[in-house]
Amino acid sequence: MARIRRNILSLPAGDQTLYWYEKAVAAMQTKPIADPTSWRYQAAIHEYFREVDPLAKPSDVLPSQGEQDNYWSQCQHNSWFFLPWHRMYLHIFEQIVLAEIVKLGGPNDWALPYWNYSASANAALLPVAFRNSTLLGGGTNHLYVKDPDRSIDANSGLAFAQAADTDISGCLKTPIFAGAGTGGTAGFGGPVTAFHHGGGQFGAVDLTPHGTMHMAIAKDTGWMSNFYTAALDPIFWIHHCNIDRLWEVWLKRDASHKNPTTSNWLTKIRFRFRDAKGTAIEMVPAQVLDTTAAPLEYAYDDTSDPLSIPTTRTAGAVLATAARRGGAEPSIFDAVRGGDMAEMIGATSDGFRLDKTVVETPIALTKPTGPTAPAFEAFRALASARVDEPRVPPPVRVFLHVEGIKSKEHSVPYDVYLNLPPDAEPLKYPELYAGRLAMFGLVEASRAEEDKPDNGLHYTLDITELFNRLSAEPGWSPDELRVALVPVRDDGPVGARVGRLSVYFE
Amino acid sequence: MSVAVASASARHVHRLRLFGWRYPEWWTYSLCLAGWWIMAAHALRVAHHGIHHRMPFAEELLHWQLMVWAMMLPLIARDLRAVAFASLWSRRHRAVFAGLLGYSLCWLLVGLPIAALRTQAFTHDYLVPMAAFVLAAVWQFTPWHASALASCHRVPLPAAHGWRADWDCLLHGSRLGWSCIVSCWLLMIACAFTGHAVVPMIAGLALGLLERHAFYPRIRTASAGAALLAGYCFILSL
């Protein structure tokens, strides 16, 4: 029978899910790093970088180089493998925790809880069990991570995440799973890639709430801000459990939402892990699509649709895109490789550095001449229509790309606004807000490694609705778009360099 | 005839148009095919004496460049495609051309000393490509090869308009070319010293595809392949 993963915020009184989690974490933390069932080995599967390991001890005996090459630093981000790989990772971790719990005399149907921080402002506070260094009855709380390795506000029970960090409307409205990486949508799950250990274009859920919550909990520089320390924080697993749940929510909320069906995604790459007994195993995405079947055997207590807005608005644009491609409705090709017909209509010529103040950059837009030219004419017609006329969404999707963001140091997240009035206070113009750049994985993406170039981070923001609205504003110019990047906090590290801003029609 | 045939033909035209939209780099394959065609014709002409066949410097240089296009263009097609998609629609082919120009110029520079060496009699011996293939097999394990291979997938960020757009594409192509040279120089030099023989070229292309498009990054099959090619040259030298 499938075990049930429950919301950490609505566990009934007397429930022992977190009691046993804490006990298992404590047991795992006593094991040496070379033990595949140890806390530090599990974190190293995500990524390991000895020079910045906060728990490194001179007495550490690391596993062999071959073991590290095969099983460590394997996490998949900025890729259509982001969701399936993390599902496998969670499954292995859950099995190890469960084995520890059973060994300690706990229940054999224990399942990881998830943290649905998007439900309300209160839900976004750090769950109580993670806030204090000592347990209620005394003794060390192994779910606690001391400041400043975690946000001080988070540990204090104060609000540390903003609505933009927990917003799931953008990702759940993304109509297709994977992007083609050619300028259009990045998809719900991420762009089509081979084995991809980070850097590059973020899928919608990889960016928000995944990346934004990582950075909010870490407050820019804590453990959760890096690939190589994130999984050392016990909240990491509860956070990722929610991301895994959102995949189920996305699939169920609209019949047109489908997983890729190509073997390139399903079976081509065999991801390596060590199971709860330390045995080497390989897993493929095809094995983890049905969570209730073996080997996963779990279900979420709530996968209901939290949004009242139907997907039809964006799906309409997809249908139009498909029609342009010669099909009556989206084909499986569209579902798998959306964005392969995107057209760039403007880009900046030079890179620029981000600062503690608002950095505004104009992008000169050009009239498209390719497959999206008719859609552009539709925009012009809309722009010249009377403001009070009913506005039909134009048959095109518009994407703002913030590309090639690099830095050797961490960076505070940035909010993106379009066409802010001169000297305006951005927070007073929420209607011009386009999205948040989380900056999770920035340092890793800026470092060239054996299996990846230093391409930096690449954010794709769907600005269709905002662009449509702006086109109705008096004084709207179809020839220019002004993009303002606003630091989320003024006390965080800054200085990352942006390679390019560009706008694409799809 | 008419309506059915006309509609079928319109469908084909539409499909071709879609193909052109999706794969703006399509025309670079004609250079690749031209390279293979001329190399194969040359191989047929000189039969199995390719390695002993001496040509003037200019002809050697031309053969080097054709070999580069034949073997390397399939490896960088998706990178040239990325340059096109990162450019304005009206500049896509121009962007691919600029990228290809930057890429080709880098290889041409490497070709100059190789062509000069090929005019010398002592290089016309199977032991020379054999040694190069052995070194190529070892090179696969060096960190320089690994980082150059990763750099082959660098993302282009060209300006949208004017000479800056052309220059950025040219520069991106040359960076791509430099990465490919660091990653594949010994393999290419070895193939050149076989007298641009078709068998090592096909094998070299297969190894390149294997190491760049393998879904898992730590595959070192290319090294074993290069070692096999060294063995092949050794047998021919007997």
Side-chain angles (χ1 to χ4, degrees):
Chain A
M1 203 178 90
R3 290 165 298 111
I4 304 297
R5 288 183 177 178
R6 294 188 171 83
N7 187 352
I8 198 167
L9 302 171
S10 51
L11 295 172
D15 183 273
Q16 294 203 310
T17 303
L18 291 170
Y19 169 82
W20 287 113
Y21 182 47
E22 196 276 334
K23 293 276 171 235
V25 171
M28 289 171 73
Q29 286 180 351
T30 61
K31 297 181 180 180
I33 190 169
D35 181 341
T37 64
S38 70
W39 187 255
R40 290 175 65 199
Y41 186 104
Q42 285 299 303
I45 293 171
H46 201 258
E47 180 161 317
Y48 189 73
F49 198 38
R50 180 72 184 171
E51 286 75 5
V52 290
D53 178 356
L55 306 180
K57 296 187 291 272
S59 58
D60 281 341
V61 179
L62 297 179
S64 68
Q65 193 56 50
E67 177 80 8
Q68 291 183 45
D69 287 347
N70 285 329
Y71 301 103
W72 284 14
S73 303
Q74 301 288 303
C75 71
Q76 303 291 297
H77 291 89
N78 315 85
S79 162
W80 62 345
F81 292 118
F82 165 67
L83 288 167
W85 185 86
H86 280 85
R87 178 168 282 181
M88 296 168 200
Y89 186 35
L90 278 183
H91 163 66
I92 298 290
F93 174 78
E94 190 178 49
Q95 290 300 305
I96 291 169
V97 173
L98 180 60
E100 288 294 343
I101 288 171
V102 170
K103 213 188 297 178
L104 293 165
N108 62 3
D109 63 346
W110 185 90
L112 266 173
Y114 65 87
W115 176 21
N116 183 11
Y117 30 70
S118 307
S120 66
N122 269 344
L125 302 179
L126 188 73
V128 178
F130 294 79
R131 291 181 202 164
N132 299 311
S133 58
T134 51
L135 295 166
L136 270 180
T140 304
N141 178 9
H142 293 87
L143 303 184
Y144 174 79
V145 169
K146 69 178 192 317
D147 310 327
D149 297 326
R150 200 191 264 164
S151 156
I152 293 168
D153 286 345
N155 277 349
S156 309
L158 301 172
F160 67 93
Q162 298 171 355
D165 296 316
T166 59
D167 180 23
I168 51 173
S169 62
C171 70
L172 291 182
K173 283 192 287 181
T174 305
I176 60 169
F177 186 91
T182 49
T185 177
F188 173 74
V192 175
T193 66
F195 181 98
H196 192 83
H197 182 51
Q201 193 179 17
F202 282 93
V205 74
D206 194 356
L207 168 56
T208 311
H210 166 254
T212 49
M213 281 305 282
H214 262 280
M215 296 304 283
I217 296 165
K219 202 184 176 200
D220 314 329
T221 55
W223 284 359
M224 282 283 274
S225 67
N226 298 307
F227 286 2
Y228 35 82
T229 49
L232 289 172
D233 188 333
I235 199 68
F236 168 93
W237 307 92
I238 315 299
H239 166 44
H240 265 276
C241 202
N242 189 49
I243 300 300
D244 186 63
R245 184 186 69 92
L246 288 174
W247 185 7
E248 290 299 295
V249 173
W250 180 79
L251 281 170
K252 285 182 181 155
R253 76 178 294 263
D254 196 296
S256 68
H257 291 178
K258 304 270 188 213
N259 287 325
T261 53
T262 167
S263 63
N264 282 347
W265 185 74
L266 290 170
T267 53
K268 201 79 141 207
I269 300 185
R270 307 183 70 79
F271 295 105
R272 297 166 183 159
F273 293 95
R274 288 199 178 273
D275 67 12
K277 290 175 184 156
T279 310
I281 59 164
E282 290 183 336
M283 295 182 86
V284 295
Q287 286 175 278
V288 297
L289 300 184
D290 181 357
T291 67
T292 60
L296 304 181
E297 296 181 312
Y298 66 79
Y300 288 102
D301 65 349
D302 182 7
T303 52
S304 59
D305 184 2
L307 303 181
S308 53
I309 309 155
T311 314
T312 45
R313 194 177 167 94
T314 39
V318 173
L319 283 167
T321 308
R324 262 201 321 278
R325 293 172 188 171
E329 58 185 48
S331 64
I332 195 65
F333 186 77
D334 297 307
V336 173
R337 295 178 65 88
D340 71 330
M341 212 62 99
E343 178 176 1
M344 195 187 89
I345 61 158
T348 52
S349 296
D350 296 296
F352 56 92
R353 203 164 284 285
L354 295 173
D355 207 347
K356 280 188 186 296
T357 53
V358 178
V359 176
E360 190 170 62
T361 310
I363 306 176
L365 302 183
T366 309
K367 186 179 173 182
T369 54
T372 60
F376 183 75
E377 292 307 324
F379 258 121
R380 289 183 80 96
L382 282 170
S384 58
R386 282 191 8 244
V387 177
D388 56 351
E389 283 180 10
R391 299 179 66 77
V392 180
V396 69
R397 298 174 73 199
V398 189
F399 295 94
L400 172 69
H401 291 258
V402 186
E403 304 168 82
I405 308 173
K406 294 186 195 178
S407 176
K408 287 181 180 167
E409 307 295 334
H410 292 86
S411 170
V412 68
Y414 279 79
D415 282 338
V416 181
Y417 289 82
L418 302 184
N419 284 6
L420 275 176
D423 302 321
E425 172 60 43
L427 287 175
K428 290 181 180 165
Y429 294 87
E431 71 278 13
L432 300 178
Y433 171 77
R436 176 163 288 186
L437 316 179
M439 303 292 184
F440 176 55
L442 175 63
V443 178
E444 297 89 320
S446 308
R447 201 174 53 221
E449 285 174 1
E450 187 181 333
D451 51 0
K452 67 179 178 64
D454 54 343
N455 280 331
L457 298 179
H458 176 170
Y459 293 100
T460 306
L461 305 178
D462 186 340
I463 57 167
T464 308
E465 285 179 35
L466 178 52
F467 197 84
N468 185 26
R469 218 168 344 105
L470 285 172
S471 69
E473 300 271 325
W476 154 258
S477 164
D479 304 323
E480 186 184 81
L481 189 69
R482 282 176 290 111
V483 181
L485 296 169
V486 184
V488 167
R489 284 180 286 278
D490 54 11
D491 60 345
V494 295
R497 188 173 168 76
V498 175
R500 189 175 86 150
L501 298 174
S502 59
V503 178
Y504 280 75
F505 274 10
E506 182 194 23
Chain B
M1 121 132 200
S2 18
V3 178
V5 172
S7 109
S9 124
R11 256 202 319 275
H12 288 312
V13 169
H14 184 60
R15 275 188 193 151
L16 269 177
R17 197 171 173 217
L18 286 178
F19 181 84
W21 280 353
R22 282 195 182 116
Y23 302 101
E25 79 289 4
W26 63 268
W27 56 268
T28 61
Y29 285 103
S30 59
L31 286 176
C32 171
L33 286 174
W36 281 109
W37 182 271
I38 295 169
M39 291 289 117
H42 174 74
L44 279 175
R45 201 169 62 243
V46 299
H48 58 280
H49 300 296
I51 193 157
H52 307 302
H53 184 73
R54 292 179 70 175
M55 292 185 289
F57 173 80
E59 208 176 329
E60 280 289 355
L61 193 60
L62 176 68
H63 276 237
W64 166 265
Q65 199 56 43
L66 287 169
M67 185 187 78
V68 166
W69 284 341
M71 293 178 68
M72 300 309 289
L73 287 187
L75 303 183
I76 62 155
R78 70 176 178 188
D79 301 290
L80 292 175
R81 186 170 182 242
V83 175
F85 274 98
S87 303
L88 291 174
W89 194 269
S90 55
R91 299 182 68 105
R92 296 196 316 162
H93 295 296
R94 193 167 159 175
V96 171
F97 176 78
L100 183 60
L101 185 66
Y103 185 82
S104 302
L105 284 174
C106 285
W107 277 104
L108 199 63
L109 281 176
V110 178
L112 290 171
I114 302 300
L117 278 172
R118 279 282 297 164
T119 58
Q120 306 301 310
F122 75 91
T123 61
H124 291 246
D125 188 311
Y126 275 112
L127 291 176
V128 177
M130 188 194 83
F133 277 126
V134 168
L135 290 174
V138 175
W139 184 251
Q140 301 288 328
F141 293 102
T142 64
W144 302 290
H145 170 265
S147 65
L149 200 61
S151 301
C152 291
H153 301 301
R154 201 171 267 145
V155 171
L157 301 172
H161 303 277
W163 69 269
R164 272 293 308 277
D166 296 325
W167 175 248
D168 287 349
C169 293
L170 186 91
L171 212 60
H172 180 73
S174 63
R175 282 185 187 136
L176 199 63
W178 177 245
S179 299
C180 284
I181 287 165
V182 175
S183 140
C184 301
W185 65 292
L186 280 163
L187 198 65
M188 295 297 280
I189 287 172
C191 286
F193 282 128
T194 62
H196 310 284
V198 172
V199 172
M201 278 176 61
I202 291 173
L205 172 61
L207 297 181
L209 285 169
L210 221 146
E211 68 175 8
R212 279 161 192 255
H213 297 280
F215 267 83
Y216 210 80
R218 295 186 178 104
I219 293 174
R220 291 287 184 270
T221 321
S223 175
L228 278 175
L229 281 170
Y232 170 78
C233 289
F234 177 70
I235 291 166
L236 290 178
S237 72
L238 296 175

